[in-house]
Amino acid sequence: LTILGLAMATMFFGNIFGFVLVAQKQQHFLLKLYSALALFNIIANLIFIPQFGAIAAAWTTVITELLATVFAARAVFMAHRFMVPASYILQVIAIAALVGLSSIWLSSLLHVIQLLLYAALYGFGIYLTGLLSKRHLTLVWSRHA
């Protein structure tokens, strides 16, 4: 489950890029991509699961999701020709590191408490780095945004 957590984190971003591609009417690209990745995953599982078991299945899932995210992100960035500022990426990595490292100290707590503390740390991190400002919240909560 720990390994599959990496796949979930990757899927978060992959889904965003996938939704953008659907909004751009690029379903044909997604169909080709997901078909190729399904074939890759099946072949990788057939090769590695007999020798390494469930660990191999988890890692092939992580790699498959990572490839899906990378190729979908590339398609989105190529269509829009924009770059994400390095400072933004570093802020996101710092927040993820804060929450990830906190799991070492919070592992003895009940899962519900852990989840609430992770959410609070994440919120604090995005507020502290300026990724979420009062202006952003106003836009999210306004009816006319």
Side-chain angles (χ1 to χ4, degrees):
L1 288 177
T2 301
I3 297 167
L4 289 176
L6 297 172
M8 265 184 44
T10 304
M11 289 169 63
F12 172 79
F13 293 102
N15 284 335
I16 292 171
F17 293 121
F19 293 142
V20 170
L21 290 170
V22 169
Q24 294 175 337
K25 300 188 185 311
Q26 295 293 319
Q27 292 91 332
H28 63 282
F29 170 78
L30 287 173
L31 179 62
K32 291 176 186 177
L33 175 62
Y34 293 151
S35 297
L37 290 172
L39 183 63
F40 164 79
N41 189 273
I42 291 168
I43 292 170
N45 282 328
L46 288 172
I47 293 170
F48 295 111
I49 287 177
Q51 185 175 0
F52 300 106
I55 298 293
W59 279 111
T60 58
T61 300
V62 170
I63 292 167
T64 302
E65 291 300 335
L66 184 60
L67 289 171
T69 300
V70 167
F71 285 114
R74 183 179 181 279
V76 169
F77 289 132
M78 293 300 286
H80 291 286
R81 302 275 185 214
F82 70 93
M83 296 299 296
V84 177
S87 62
Y88 180 83
I89 293 170
L90 291 174
Q91 288 171 325
V92 170
I93 290 171
I95 294 166
L98 170 73
V99 175
L101 289 174
S102 69
S103 67
I104 296 168
W105 297 291
L106 301 177
S107 62
S108 63
L109 299 175
L110 294 173
H111 294 296
V112 173
I113 296 171
Q114 284 179 346
L115 182 63
L116 292 172
L117 288 172
Y118 291 147
L121 280 170
Y122 183 75
F124 177 71
I126 60 175
Y127 179 76
L128 187 66
T129 59
L131 291 175
L132 182 65
S133 66
K134 290 180 182 179
R135 184 178 72 85
H136 291 119
L137 291 174
T138 303
L139 289 173
V140 168
W141 295 109
S142 72
R143 292 184 179 180
H144 305 287

